[in-house]
Each structure stands twice: as C-alpha cells, then as structure tokens.
Amino acid sequence: EKEKSESLLLNILPFKISEELKQNGHVESRLYHSSSIMFTDFKGFTKVAEIMDPKDLLAELERCFIKFDEITEKHNLEKLKTIGDSYMCAGGIPEKNNTHPIDSCVAGLQMQNYMEEKKRTKILNEEPYWEMRLGIHTGQIMAGVIGRKKFAYDIWGDTVNTASRMESSGEPGKVNISDKTYEFVKDFFDCEYRGKIAAKNKAPIEMYFVKR
C-alpha cells in the first residue's frame, strides 16, 4: 500500500518535490533564474468538439497528451498540467540544467511532427482533425507547491505569461519561440525570424519559428 501511494505521488509531483513533501510536510518555493516554458493549444478544438462524440473526443485528446508525456519525459522536461485542450511543461526544473532551451525546442518539433502525422491520416480517412499552436519562452520563474488540498507542482512569473503569448501568437504546425529562447538555441536550429509581433497586454516581442 505504501508503494502504491508513493507511486501515485510520483505521478503528481516530481521525485525531488515529493521527497521534500514527505520529509517536511511542505515544499519550499524556489527561484529559478532560467527555465524554458512551453504551452500548446489545439486550433479548431471547439468546432471538432461540437461534432464528435464526447467519449471519442476525450479518447483522442488523451492519445495526444500521452504522446506529449512520452516526449517531455524523453527530453528531461517536467509536465506541469493540462488545461482543457492546452498542455503545459517546463525545462530546467526542479533539477537545474543548461540544456532546457534546446530540449524544449526538440520536444516542440517532435510534438508538431506527431500532430502532422495524425493530420495526414485523418485527412485520408475523411475525419476531423486538429492543428496545434506551440510556444516557448525562456526566463526567470518561481516554482513550488501552494496549498494543502489538491496540491500540484506549479510555476509563476512573467515568463509564464510570455510563454503563453508565444503560443497564442504562433501559427498551427509551427514551434514559435521568443528572442530570449532564440539566443540560447540559434547555433543548434534553423530558425525563421518573424519580426516584432504584437502580444496581448505586452509590448511587441521578437519571435522566431524553429524549422529544424
């Protein structure tokens, strides 16, 4: 029973955080000077939801998120949460590392490749399909666990808001990154400069598409 409960806890919290919670009864929030945050969102989800059986809709959404879980784990990213049809993960937490901007871009490309393969299959079968926007931004965050009920490992800060804007300012099928992330990854990826793009409640931000 103890093994079951600990396994369940590890499905909710990162190992380092779950150990701290077990030992101390709480988790200290920490400042991370550099973390890469990724958001995804499905374009046309609402329209497809209107014509799909709810069980089929959730099964399709689960298939996508399970694949995303595999990709994030493979590239040392931490899944934080799903919010409706949006997926959120981060690199460089809770264990700090220097590769998180690169890891995030590779993961983003693989997620978009997966969605593109699904799209081709759906078109051949004359079935409705989703396309996905994906955005990444790198910067300073706070991370921790707040509250005592239904707790979750979460992150806060302007970096999170900006990462969300990278997603909403992106285009379906593309990996959209900020100039901050670009500075870390420009020697490793072929990127397309988009110019300064207006972002909601923010000054225009220089953005790039990661092509390969």
Side-chain angles (χ1 to χ4, degrees):
E1 288 302 315
K2 183 182 177 183
E3 285 178 0
K4 285 181 182 178
S5 64
E6 291 195 352
S7 176
L8 182 61
L9 190 61
L10 286 174
N11 277 331
I12 300 170
L13 300 172
F15 175 76
K16 181 178 179 180
I17 302 303
S18 66
E19 288 298 302
E20 184 178 347
L21 184 66
K22 285 190 291 183
Q23 291 176 13
N24 304 329
H26 70 279
V27 176
E28 197 76 35
S29 293
R30 289 179 174 82
L31 174 68
Y32 292 83
H33 291 290
S34 184
S35 175
S36 292
I37 316 303
M38 178 198 298
F39 279 93
T40 77
D41 187 67
F42 292 119
K43 179 191 175 187
F45 180 84
T46 304
K47 287 185 178 180
V48 174
E50 290 172 354
I51 60 175
M52 277 185 77
D53 178 83
K55 287 185 178 179
D56 293 338
L57 180 78
L58 288 177
E60 182 70 11
L61 193 61
E62 184 175 37
R63 280 191 287 270
C64 291
F65 286 166
I66 287 174
K67 183 63 177 180
F68 293 175
D69 286 348
E70 291 174 4
I71 293 171
T72 55
E73 185 175 5
K74 178 181 176 182
H75 295 290
N76 201 30
L77 305 178
E78 188 67 41
K79 176 188 177 180
L80 295 167
K81 65 179 88 173
T82 59
I83 311 153
D85 62 310
S86 178
Y87 187 97
M88 180 184 178
C89 62
I93 61 169
E95 298 287 352
K96 296 179 181 179
N97 64 60
N98 295 323
T99 62
H100 56 80
I102 299 167
D103 298 335
S104 299
C105 288
V106 173
L109 288 171
Q110 291 185 359
M111 288 178 183
Q112 289 291 22
N113 287 341
Y114 171 76
M115 293 306 298
E116 186 60 31
E117 289 173 8
K118 286 184 72 69
K119 176 183 173 180
R120 287 195 291 267
T121 303
K122 296 285 187 183
I123 290 173
L124 286 173
N125 295 329
E126 297 183 347
E127 296 174 350
Y129 61 87
W130 301 325
E131 293 181 295
M132 186 173 74
R133 289 185 300 266
L134 188 154
I136 302 169
H137 177 59
T138 302
Q140 180 176 282
I141 62 162
M142 289 292 294
V145 177
I146 287 182
R148 295 184 178 178
K149 292 185 178 180
K150 297 184 179 179
F151 47 74
Y153 186 60
D154 208 350
I155 58 176
W156 302 271
D158 187 60
T159 296
V160 181
N161 299 329
T162 303
S164 177
R165 300 295 178 264
M166 291 303 105
E167 175 272 306
S168 59
S169 301
E171 292 181 5
K174 303 288 184 67
V175 174
N176 189 43
I177 64 173
S178 67
D179 54 342
K180 301 294 188 201
T181 302
Y182 173 75
E183 287 303 315
F184 288 104
V185 306
K186 60 185 179 183
D187 295 331
F188 303 95
F189 296 89
D190 178 14
C191 298
E192 175 188 337
Y193 181 57
R194 302 183 63 200
K196 287 191 174 183
I197 309 294
K200 185 179 177 182
N201 298 329
K202 286 190 170 292
I205 301 171
E206 290 186 317
M207 301 184 195
Y208 297 78
F209 284 141
V210 181
K211 299 177 73 175
R212 57 175 182 259

